[in-house]
């Protein structure tokens, strides 16, 4: 029995979205062209934009279509920073939570290296929640030097849902704009752009049953954004590039569906996740559930553990060879596995952080997937521990 438990990395395209994608692939017409085919393509784009806006609580004119979540995050962080520093060169501080995805962290650090930004990593508590007292203190001390705040709606590794409303309230009290990466949140928890008060919000297609390489930045009309890429002036001049009509149409269908089905999916997947957590704890009693203790504070599809004495990568490969696919959540640098910056920011020590595995469920997940994991996990943990011990002995560490 095999099991795909990595839906947070990407999830299959919904049949309705796939049908729309295929339908539009054979239609001619660039939405920027003036002839009938171009106008027909433009209609598809604008209808899709309206559907995306309606599903996410935004106005159609606030939807900037991008080539995915990473691009939308780059546009938010760099575009806002450049616009704010152009208005006031003193505003060089970029406040980001320490548990952001690299699609936010890396553009921020790029700005520090190339554009004079000063990055402030906002600390998080042991459950991965941003420390509002630290944010308040930073803003109290340096509001007039602050360009922007970026705190994700929900974390991709440990599933922590962030207090977005509190972040917005604090930042707006000082006139500082706020961006949130909601790539993992859409379809799992309610996301309403207008109600959130956010200035900008990132969405990605392939996490919600749409195709990869398509996403959006929702941005308030009044928000000044300097473009990251230049060319044909599409998307209010902020994001040049010919629009990918089939992907946009499929993205809209997927987001609409994910939002409409959210409550039912979250209830079913959340129950399955709770069962997975209970069974992993029973099978491996010293496994540590990371992220929020209260399931209500965690994305319903997420379960994240550290397994003491194991290398997450060894466990991942052992499970993979048993047909169970999951993720460590952390990156490799030059082939060397690195402990997750998210876990380290939560205060997990480096040795424990190395034993991390994330199991993420999705719409197609069933009890059979959890059964397959539990059939393979105890032996995999035993072998990974033995390998870890042997490795430490070879290296002279006891
Ligand atoms: N932000 C978060 C929280 C993510 O989980 C991901 C994907 O892993 C991204 C951004 C990047 O999105 P995309 O794959 O559409 O570029």
């Amino acid at each position: 029995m095999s099991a795909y438990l990595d839906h947070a990395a990407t999830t299959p395209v919904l049949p309705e979205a796939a049908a729309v994608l295929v339908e539009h692939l054979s239609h001619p017409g660039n939405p920027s062209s003036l002839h009938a085919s171009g106008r027909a393509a433009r209609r598809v784009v604008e209808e899709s934009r309206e559907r995306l806006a309606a599903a996410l609580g935004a106005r159609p004119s606030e939807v900037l279509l991008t080539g995915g979540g990473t691009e939308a995050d780059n546009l938010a962080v760099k575009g806002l920073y450049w616009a704010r520093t152009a208005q006031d060169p003193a505003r060089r501080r970029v406040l980001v939570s320490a548990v952001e995805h690299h699609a936010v962290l890396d553009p921020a650090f790029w700005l520090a290296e190339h554009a004079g930004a000063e990055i402030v990593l906002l600390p998080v508590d042991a459950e991965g929640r941003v420390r509002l007292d630290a944010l308040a203190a930073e803003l109290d001390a340096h509001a007039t030097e602050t360009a922007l705040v970026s705190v994700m709606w929900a974390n991709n590794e440990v599933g922590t849902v962030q207090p977005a409303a509190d972040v917005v309230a604090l930042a707006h009290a000082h006139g500082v704009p706020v961006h949130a990466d909601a790539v993992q949140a859409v379809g799992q928890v309610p996301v309403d752009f207008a109600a959130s008060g956010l200035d900008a919000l990132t969405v990605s297609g392939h996490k919600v049953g749409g195709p990869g390489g398509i996403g959006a930045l929702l941005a308030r009309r009044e928000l000044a954004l300097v473009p990251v890429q230049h060319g044909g002036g599409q998307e209010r001049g902020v994001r040049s590039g010919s629009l990918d009509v089939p992907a946009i149409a499929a993205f809209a269908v997927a987001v609409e569906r994910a939002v409409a089905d959210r409550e039912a999916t979250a209830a079913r997947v959340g129950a399955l996740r709770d069962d997975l957590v209970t069974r992993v704890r029973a099978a491996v009693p010293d496994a540590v559930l990371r992220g929020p203790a209260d399931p209500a504070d965690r994305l319903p599809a997420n379960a994240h553990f550290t397994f003491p004495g194991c290398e997450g990568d060894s466990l991942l490969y052992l499970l993979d060879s048993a047909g169970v696919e999951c993720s460590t959540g952390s990156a490799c640098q030059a082939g060397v596995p690195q402990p997750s910056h998210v876990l380290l920011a939560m205060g997990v020590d480096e040795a424990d952080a190395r034993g991390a595995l994330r199991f993420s469920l999705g719409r197609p997940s069933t009890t059979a997937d959890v059964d397959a994991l539990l059939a393979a996990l105890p032996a995999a943990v035993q072998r990974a521990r033995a390998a870890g011990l042997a490795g430490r002995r070879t290296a002279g560490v006891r």
Side-chain angles (χ1 to χ4, degrees):
M1 225 184 336
S2 70
Y4 182 74
L5 292 168
D6 201 14
H7 289 272
T10 197
T11 196
V13 176
L14 276 176
E16 304 98 289
V20 167
L21 182 76
V22 170
E23 178 196 333
H24 288 288
L25 281 172
S26 52
H27 291 179
N30 183 323
S32 298
S33 296
L34 299 178
H35 46 60
S37 292
R39 294 197 303 277
R42 170 57 61 186
R43 259 195 311 281
V44 173
V45 169
E46 295 315 322
E47 279 167 22
S48 302
R49 195 189 305 280
E50 282 167 23
R51 294 170 79 165
L52 285 163
L56 297 168
R59 287 181 289 176
S61 59
E62 293 173 323
V63 179
L64 297 169
L65 295 158
T66 67
T70 301
E71 191 192 314
D73 282 342
N74 270 264
L75 177 57
V77 174
K78 293 176 182 160
L80 254 171
Y81 176 79
W82 287 326
R84 296 271 288 166
T85 49
Q87 286 159 0
D88 178 355
R91 293 191 179 278
R92 299 196 163 273
R93 290 168 74 87
V94 175
L95 275 48
V96 293
S97 90
V99 296
E100 292 303 303
H101 190 275
H102 280 288
V104 165
L105 283 181
D106 290 17
F109 281 105
W110 184 91
L111 288 172
E113 206 172 312
H114 300 281
E118 196 183 324
I119 309 305
V120 178
L121 285 181
L122 299 168
V124 297
D125 65 18
E127 295 191 341
R129 200 171 297 103
V130 70
R131 292 258 310 273
L132 293 170
D133 56 341
L135 173 62
E138 284 297 333
L139 289 165
D140 284 342
H142 302 286
T144 57
E145 300 142 58
T146 303
L148 68 129
V149 174
S150 183
V151 174
M152 65 205 318
W153 197 299
N155 183 262
N156 48 298
E157 291 186 31
V158 292
T160 311
V161 178
Q162 299 290 349
D166 297 319
V167 171
V168 169
L170 284 171
H172 282 186
H174 293 280
V176 174
V178 184
H179 163 251
D181 176 333
V183 165
Q184 297 287 342
V186 171
Q188 293 211 52
V189 290
V191 173
D192 184 307
F193 183 58
S196 73
L198 284 160
D199 300 279
L201 176 146
T202 294
V203 195
S204 167
H206 70 115
K207 310 285 185 176
V208 293
I214 186 75
L217 183 69
L218 308 186
R220 279 195 307 104
R221 284 290 311 189
E222 320 78 77
L223 192 71
L225 281 173
V226 172
V228 173
Q229 60 194 58
H230 302 87
Q234 290 89 347
E235 299 300 276
R236 290 162 37 189
V238 178
R239 194 278 183 180
S240 285
S242 294
L243 293 169
D244 184 345
V245 181
I248 290 165
F251 176 38
V253 167
V255 168
E256 208 168 49
R257 195 75 237 199
V259 170
D261 294 350
R262 185 197 62 77
E263 232 175 310
T265 309
R268 192 184 71 76
V269 164
L272 205 54
R273 185 273 316 273
D274 292 345
D275 180 44
L276 182 154
V277 168
T278 307
R279 290 171 65 185
V280 167
R281 283 173 148 165
V284 187
D286 62 351
V288 183
L289 182 71
R290 301 293 178 180
D294 183 347
D297 295 339
R298 178 193 288 270
L299 292 175
N302 171 283
H304 183 290
F305 291 91
T306 55
F307 295 90
C310 297
E311 280 287 339
D313 286 80
S314 309
L315 262 181
L316 186 148
Y317 291 123
L318 287 162
L319 288 174
D320 186 34
S321 64
V324 176
E325 295 167 326
C326 61
S327 159
T328 60
S330 58
C332 266
Q333 259 164 35
V336 181
Q338 298 294 318
S340 145
H341 68 283
V342 173
L343 293 178
L344 297 181
M346 287 161 58
V348 178
D349 75 35
E350 217 177 296
D352 285 340
R354 287 184 182 283
L357 276 192
R358 176 189 70 184
F359 306 111
S360 54
L361 305 171
R363 218 184 307 238
S365 301
T366 64
T367 308
D369 297 317
V370 182
D371 292 345
L373 168 65
L374 269 301
L377 187 67
V381 168
Q382 211 172 19
R383 284 186 62 188
R385 276 198 182 137
L389 202 63
R392 282 193 292 281
R393 288 226 174 90
T394 316
V397 184
R398 292 291 133 115

